[in-house]
Amino acid sequence: MEVKEAINLAKKNNQVAFNFLLDTFWNDVYSFQLKRTLNENDAEDITIQTFSKAFDKINTYNEDYKFKTWLITISKNIHIDLIRKQKNSINNTSKDNEDNYFDIVDDSPTPEDKIITEQNLAKLLRDIKKLKPHYQEVINLRYFQELSYKEISEELNEPINNVKVKLLRAKKLLAEIIIKK
């Protein structure tokens, strides 16, 4: 399959085309972000967000430009947005600290907080059970057993990119289930 063909098929929601594009350009976007962030986890998260956004907006892709350039631009913008959010949160925190530096903060959860957390977890588990079994499994391995992508790949005997795509889809489907409530 060629890139142009894959893009046209992806615009028609063809999952094989999405996988082809992800496999073809994953390393380019990931390497770009790794150089910018100097952090493997951040680079991986931004790369996943990049492909998620790109696949959501695939119909807006202009074929006058290279697909790789389009992905890198999306990736760069996501990174810039994250940096802005971090700067804003740091600025807000420092202003708050200037005014309230004598206040002692007790961050320990109250009994009510614990009950709410348990109820939210129970709701989340019910929502996860609405997913197909293979999506349930990948979410369980990543977020409840806290395995790395590599460990999940070995556990499921699947390539890492497939695990990332499956996890991305699982999170997206789970978000849709939660939003529908």
Side-chain angles (χ1 to χ4, degrees):
M1 183 180 303
E2 289 195 24
V3 173
K4 283 188 178 189
E5 178 188 358
I7 293 167
N8 289 330
L9 290 170
K11 287 181 178 181
K12 298 173 185 170
N13 289 327
N14 182 303
Q15 293 301 316
V16 174
F18 285 130
N19 287 341
F20 173 81
L21 291 171
L22 184 97
D23 289 340
T24 303
F25 295 103
W26 176 271
N27 288 337
D28 295 321
V29 176
Y30 177 78
S31 298
F32 173 78
Q33 279 305 328
L34 191 57
K35 287 176 189 167
R36 288 175 67 99
T37 63
L38 303 175
N39 180 306
E40 290 180 5
N41 289 332
D42 290 346
E44 194 170 271
D45 287 344
I46 294 169
T47 303
I48 289 170
Q49 289 177 41
T50 300
F51 281 97
S52 175
K53 191 170 193 172
F55 292 161
D56 284 344
K57 306 283 185 187
I58 191 96
N59 288 319
T60 66
Y61 168 67
N62 181 345
E63 293 186 16
D64 293 342
Y65 303 99
K66 290 188 176 186
F67 191 72
K68 177 181 168 182
T69 305
W70 186 65
L71 287 171
I72 296 292
T73 303
I74 292 170
S75 178
K76 183 171 71 172
N77 290 337
I78 289 171
H79 185 233
I80 289 168
D81 290 345
L82 288 173
I83 291 171
R84 283 185 187 140
K85 286 179 186 173
Q86 289 171 348
K87 283 183 181 175
N88 285 340
S89 91
I90 290 170
N91 289 339
N92 290 340
T93 304
S94 64
K95 288 176 187 171
D96 291 345
N97 286 343
E98 290 171 10
D99 297 336
N100 302 318
Y101 65 93
F102 290 113
D103 292 342
I104 297 174
V105 179
D106 180 10
D107 287 335
S108 61
T110 65
E112 293 85 3
D113 291 336
K114 290 179 183 175
I115 291 171
I116 290 169
T117 301
E118 288 172 10
Q119 288 173 345
N120 287 340
L121 182 59
K123 285 180 190 174
L124 180 62
L125 291 172
R126 281 194 300 272
D127 290 340
I128 289 172
K129 287 185 180 180
K130 293 177 185 175
L131 296 172
K132 292 181 179 177
H134 60 278
Y135 290 139
Q136 290 179 29
E137 182 178 33
V138 76
I139 284 182
N140 177 37
L141 293 171
R142 181 68 176 162
Y143 296 105
F144 293 99
Q145 295 183 29
E146 297 181 349
L147 298 182
S148 68
Y149 290 113
K150 184 178 182 198
E151 292 167 329
I152 296 170
S153 170
E154 291 167 359
E155 176 85 19
L156 299 178
N157 198 23
E158 290 185 22
I160 287 180
N161 284 346
N162 286 8
V163 168
K164 290 175 182 176
V165 170
K166 196 179 282 186
L167 189 60
L168 181 67
R169 288 186 190 137
K171 289 192 305 189
K172 194 171 182 180
L173 291 169
L174 184 59
E176 289 172 6
I177 290 170
I178 292 170
I179 290 170
K180 285 182 183 176
K181 288 186 167 184

